Amino acid sequence: MTIKQIGVLGCARIVERALLQPVRQLQHLNVYAVAGRSGQRAAEYANQYGIARSFGSYEELLGCKEIDFVYIALSNELHQEWAIKALQYGKPVLVEKPVSLNTDELAKLMAVQSAVQLPVLEGLMVQHHPWQQELRRMVEERSYGCVTEVKSYIAVPFQDPQQLNYRSLPECGGGVFYDLGCYWLQFIQAVFGLDLEGFNAQSAFDGPNGCDWSFRAELNLAGGIRAELLTSFELPAGSRHTIEFERAAVTVEHFFRPSMGSYKLAIRIEHKGSGKTEKISFDAQNYFTNQLAFFSDIIDGNRDNIPLQDSLARIGLLEKLMQHARASIQVSHT
């Protein structure tokens, strides 16, 4: 099997967990090179992790003929720019979420991608696990009757005393909804679709630099289903989705765990009539390993890619929800 060589743009902390560790489970992939903001930083990073080559500029790496695809781990506001440049150099792109900060940016990326016909995948790692397909099957088959509502909780306590992290900077896509709300939107899109009858959103925007540190959102989905989210950087840690069917409550708890390594997940089904509880269990998996294997198959033509049109729909809705929440604040202050 031919080994694909990966080039990394950025020396971010996420690279170790999202690429360097999971790639060890895939013999057909290898991290070949890394580029940083300076040659010294890139060389130190390459030496630390045993990466063969380092570059002092991103364009130098993109011009390296040995590299088969690029993983972009730069600050959020740079994702779209360097995804476009990578495509122009003829490199397929796996880019950390969000693929862009707004729909205008993404439309430009999509135009370039359409012209060069190279794959681009937004790194929403949770979509590469069978729990989503299983929940979608339950909904489509009405395994426990019709769905009445969906409740989601996603919280990761955030500590950054110096407020230098991009999550504290609005111009870099800061705030909890940009950072964690995308996982909720992807889940809703994958299981129910984004055909909406209405929506609502609220936040105090009282985090660093006016970022949203807690955020509530509600979607009125087609068919009368209400989907609610509470996401936060300041509430106790947790990640779960609960789908309320007529005859059962179906929950996937701690769904972020496989982003930290190879972990088991289970779907819990609580039957409302009998009170009986059952579980559908999945073998230990790592989201990022699954994501890398998926993208490799895309490049080889063995799978259909997840279209950027899906990302466009999510980012468009995210923009609307943020605008609604900010407008609500302004109204309350008048």
Side-chain angles (χ1 to χ4, degrees), residues 131-140 143-152 187-188 190-192 221 225-228 240-253 267-270 272:
W131 68 260
Q132 291 200 358
Q133 289 83 357
E134 181 61 23
L135 291 181
R136 181 170 182 168
R137 181 195 65 78
M138 292 180 185
V139 170
E140 291 179 343
S143 301
Y144 309 103
C146 295
V147 176
T148 58
E149 64 179 0
V150 187
K151 293 184 177 181
S152 300
F187 157 69
I188 295 296
V191 177
F192 300 96
L221 303 172
I225 300 171
R226 185 175 69 252
E228 298 178 353
R240 65 178 173 272
H241 299 300
T242 298
I243 302 175
E244 294 286 347
F245 291 84
E246 292 174 298
R247 300 192 301 274
V250 176
T251 300
V252 56
E253 191 96 36
I267 296 173
R268 185 176 70 251
I269 304 163
E270 299 174 277
K272 295 180 177 179

Side-chain angles (χ1 to χ4, degrees), residues 144-198:
Y144 309 103
C146 295
V147 176
T148 58
E149 64 179 0
V150 187
K151 293 184 177 181
S152 300
Y153 177 83
I154 307 174
V156 179
F158 179 64
Q159 297 179 350
D160 182 16
Q162 296 179 325
Q163 297 180 10
L164 297 177
N165 190 289
Y166 72 86
R167 295 175 179 87
S168 302
L169 303 172
E171 65 273 17
C172 297
V176 71
F177 194 54
Y178 261 93
D179 198 49
L180 301 180
C182 56
Y183 297 112
W184 174 63
L185 292 174
Q186 186 279 323
F187 157 69
I188 295 296
Q189 184 181 45
V191 177
F192 300 96
L194 292 180
D195 185 7
L196 302 184
E197 296 175 353

